[in-house]
């Protein structure tokens, strides 16, 4: 960072919470003219996820809604089968990052320790602990039922979501995942510098509320890659609409798990890639 920059304190002395953004001085060039201005940039910090005292993974993430992130990650990675298996979650800020200390059901912890024997590191791509090709691509059970939405509701939802993207509006650097309920309203938005993290935060928040994942849709500002479909299908989300592209593997997994998958939802246009029966 340029020494002249004066960023916000990383940790708030009054609350102990991490800041989600910093203010820095930058040189902005337009039409050959330089202007020194203040810019707002998103923070990202290492988040260490610990289960029953054992470190499992370290993720780079926006330091907000970390309880949601911990629960959502635990569910979408198959560490927990139900929200009630997470007994305690404590957020411990440190100088270099944040520890998320979780206490989970003994049966789940035993299974996790077995999985950790193959753990070589997390890349944020959904392949944590994979040793073989068969382990690399998980195949969730097919989603049952699910709400049906109109094209108009989907496009309106993307416009509604923007109002909830406060960090994106300030920094231009974060992804968002939002929940559209059966009426077509956006009722929850979560943001993060990582697209996987944003979806995990959304899923964790919904799980904590006891939401029925079949009765709604995930609206995401990123591309629809394999792991985004895998995370959604694992908890029973049957409808994903993405503002950007998709991958071939994501389409195959969506078709296999009966997930309705839309991409390039923008400017009143969209592409349906899998299972169109939930779109009218």
């Amino acid at each position: 960072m340029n020494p002249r920059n004066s960023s916000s304190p990383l940790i708030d002395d009054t609350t102990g919470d991490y800041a989600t953004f910093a203010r820095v001085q930058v040189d902005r060039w337009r039409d050959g003219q330089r202007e020194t201005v203040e810019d707002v940039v998103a923070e990202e910090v290492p988040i260490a996820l610990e289960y029953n005292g054992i470190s499992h993974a370290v993720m780079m993430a926006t330091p907000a809604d970390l309880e949601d992130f911990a629960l959502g990650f635990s569910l979408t990675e198959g560490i927990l089968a139900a929200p009630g298996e997470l007994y305690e979650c404590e957020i411990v800020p440190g100088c270099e990052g944040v520890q998320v200390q979780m206490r989970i059901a003994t049966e789940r912890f035993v299974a996790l320790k077995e999985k950790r024997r193959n753990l070589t590191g997390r890349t944020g791509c959904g392949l944590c602990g994979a040793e073989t090709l068969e382990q690399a691509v998980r195949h969730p059970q097919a989603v049952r039922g699910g709400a049906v939405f109109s094209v108009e509701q989907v496009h309106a939802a993307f416009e509604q979501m923007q109002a909830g993207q406060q960090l994106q509006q300030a920094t231009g650097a974060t992804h968002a995942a939002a929940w559209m309920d059966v009426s077509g309203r956006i009722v929850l938005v979560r943001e993060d510098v990582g697209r996987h993290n944003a979806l995990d935060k959304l899923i964790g928040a919904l799980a904590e509320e006891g939401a029925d994942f079949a009765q709604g849709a995930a609206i995401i500002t990123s591309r629809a890659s394999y792991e985004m479909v895998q995370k959604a299908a694992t908890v029973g989300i049957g409808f994903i609409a993405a503002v950007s592209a998709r991958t071939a593997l994501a389409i195959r997994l969506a078709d296999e798990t009966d997930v309705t998958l839309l991409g390039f939802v923008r400017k009143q246009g969209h592409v349906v890639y899998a299972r169109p029966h939930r779109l009218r």
Side-chain angles (χ1 to χ4, degrees), residues 135-177:
Q135 292 172 333
V137 179
R138 290 193 284 126
H139 297 269
Q141 293 184 347
V143 175
R144 303 299 178 188
V148 176
F149 298 96
S150 69
V151 170
E152 293 77 14
Q153 286 176 316
V154 173
H155 284 276
F158 273 88
E159 295 182 6
Q160 294 174 40
M161 178 174 58
Q162 293 177 3
Q165 294 178 248
Q166 297 180 1
L167 192 56
Q168 166 67 9
Q169 291 170 13
T171 67
T174 56
H175 288 294

Side-chain angles (χ1 to χ4, degrees), residues 238-253:
F239 196 116
I240 305 172
V243 74
S244 190
R246 67 291 160 257
T247 66
L249 184 55
I251 296 171
R252 290 194 293 270
L253 185 65

